[in-house]
């Protein structure tokens, strides 16, 4: 499992500009992103439309998630046909997260979460074909390959990363995005 805690800035900035998600590669299927639980005010933005998140909401590749101060959201990223859980994410308070990639191509799952600010914990299920799982902050990219515990704190003064006993595949500075 990969568990990551990411902490960024303290103010929620919501852009109302419509952002088109990256198109899926040829032959890829979008994962189902199921809302397992939500408390407080959590919204998602799809095709420029802001919607209140409920347990009945189903998210998809390209959605932006924005959580208020007292909010918590729990999500499962599932195989598009079998419904098997491939990864899970918990967000809390003042979080802005975009699901930049969430698809299955062949047997490999590909997930990239762009965390502009806030706190998340993420877990990845180990599979026969290693998943591509990345969490990107404004300064760092973390790619997990079976990491049991990881903590990332991203603040204005820089990023701090503590890894579990198995480790990570890649970390590098990316510059502002």
């Amino acid at each position: 499992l990969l568990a990551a805690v990411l902490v960024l800035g303290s103010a929620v900035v919501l852009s109302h500009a419509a952002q088109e998600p990256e198109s899926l590669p040829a032959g890829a299927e979008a994962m189902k992103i199921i809302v397992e639980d939500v408390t407080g005010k959590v919204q998602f933005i799809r095709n420029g439309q802001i919607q209140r998140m409920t347990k009945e909401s189903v998210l998809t590749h390209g959605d932006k998630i924005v959580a208020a101060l007292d909010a918590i959201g729990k999500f499962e990223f599932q195989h598009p046909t079998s419904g098997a859980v491939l990864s899970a994410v918990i967000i809390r308070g003042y979080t802005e997260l975009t699901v930049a990639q969430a698809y299955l191509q062949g047997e490999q799952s590909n997930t990239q979460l762009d965390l502009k600010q806030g706190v998340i914990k993420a877990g990845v299920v180990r599979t026969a074909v290693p998943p591509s799982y990345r969490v990107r902050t404004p300064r760092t990219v973390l790619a997990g390959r079976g990491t049991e515990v990881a903590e990332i704190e991203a603040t204005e003064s820089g990023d701090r990363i503590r890894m579990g006993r198995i480790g990570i595949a890649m970390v590098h500075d990316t510059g502002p995005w």
Side-chain angles (χ1 to χ4, degrees), residues 112-147:
Q112 179 175 308
L113 305 175
D114 290 346
L115 180 66
K116 187 166 184 175
Q117 64 183 19
V119 178
I120 72 167
K121 290 184 180 183
V124 181
V125 176
R126 233 185 245 208
T127 56
V129 176
S132 172
Y133 192 93
R134 293 179 305 279
V135 177
R136 191 167 63 164
T137 72
R139 288 174 296 280
T140 302
V141 174
L142 167 72
R145 294 283 192 271
T147 300

Side-chain angles (χ1 to χ4, degrees), residues 17-94:
Q19 290 182 336
E20 291 297 317
E22 293 179 28
S23 60
L24 294 175
E29 296 178 83
M31 287 184 208
K32 291 189 282 188
I33 306 170
I34 305 302
V35 178
E36 284 295 313
D37 195 24
V38 62
T39 50
K41 184 178 179 184
V42 181
Q43 297 175 315
F44 66 99
I45 304 168
R46 180 181 300 151
N47 300 324
Q49 299 295 316
I50 300 172
Q51 301 174 50
R52 179 107 187 203
M53 189 174 300
T54 68
K55 287 180 74 171
E56 288 75 38
S57 301
V58 177
L59 304 175
T60 190
H61 168 91
D63 287 348
K64 178 189 270 187
I65 303 165
V66 180
L69 176 63
D70 62 345
I72 298 173
K74 299 177 183 178
F75 314 100
E76 283 186 356
F77 290 65
Q78 298 180 351
H79 189 284
T81 53
S82 73
V85 176
L86 301 170
S87 62
V89 173
I90 299 172
I91 66 169
R92 64 183 172 93
Y94 279 146

